[in-house]
Amino acid sequence: MPHLDQRRAELLRRRLTGEDFATLARELDYADAAEAAADFAQALAETEPLETAARQASDRLALDELHHAVWDTATAGNLDAIATALAISDVRSRRLGLDAPARLEAAGPAVDLAAVTAAELDELLTLAEEPLI
C-alpha cells in the first residue's frame, strides 16, 4: 500500500482526471467509494488552495456524475428525474458562467465626453430619471 500522502496525491490526481470513486476506492485500498470521497474532500480542504481550474474540474466531474446518474430515468420520462437533471444543468450553467448577462454595447456613434455641454448633460440626467414605462 502506498504511503498515505502518496495515496492521497494519487487520489486527487486521478479524481481530477475523471475517475469515479468506486474505482479509486478499489485500486487505492479504501474501504469503499464513500471513504474515498471523504478523503478526497478532506484532501481538498487541507491542500493549499488549488488552482481555480482544478477546483472547477472537480466540481464539473461531480455534476457530470450526478447528471449521468439520473439521465436514463429522465429520458424515460420520469418527471422527478427530469426536474433533477434540469436542476443539475442549471447549477452547471451558473458555475461555468453560462448564464451571465450579455454585454451590451452602445449602438450609436461614440460620444466625445469633453464636448458635451452642461445643457446636454442636464437633459440626459432628466431622461435617466424618468420612468421607462
Side-chain angles (χ1 to χ4, degrees):
M1 182 170 128
H3 184 273
L4 182 61
D5 289 339
Q6 292 172 332
R7 179 173 81 157
R8 186 174 265 184
E10 184 70 5
L11 174 69
L12 281 168
R13 185 189 66 75
R14 290 175 61 180
R15 176 64 184 151
L16 292 173
T17 62
E19 290 191 49
D20 63 272
F21 285 117
T23 301
L24 292 170
R26 186 175 54 256
E27 294 180 5
L28 296 177
D29 200 29
Y30 286 93
D32 55 23
E35 183 183 34
D39 195 33
F40 177 77
Q42 187 67 32
L44 282 179
E46 292 175 2
T47 303
E48 289 298 318
L50 293 176
E51 294 178 32
T52 302
R55 286 199 180 272
Q56 288 173 343
S58 173
D59 195 40
R60 280 193 307 274
L61 286 171
L63 291 170
D64 288 345
E65 283 184 16
L66 291 172
H67 201 261
H68 180 72
V70 299
W71 186 254
D72 289 338
T73 308
T75 57
N78 180 291
L79 295 179
D80 288 336
I82 291 169
T84 301
L86 290 172
I88 293 167
S89 292
D90 285 344
V91 169
R92 178 182 289 113
S93 292
R94 281 195 309 275
R95 293 201 179 151
L96 296 176
L98 301 177
D99 292 338
R103 288 186 50 169
L104 300 177
E105 295 183 22
V111 176
D112 180 7
L113 296 178
V116 174
T117 66
E120 291 171 329
L121 182 58
D122 287 340
E123 183 180 349
L124 287 172
L125 290 172
T126 301
L127 288 172
E129 293 172 356
E130 293 177 9
L132 295 175
I133 298 176

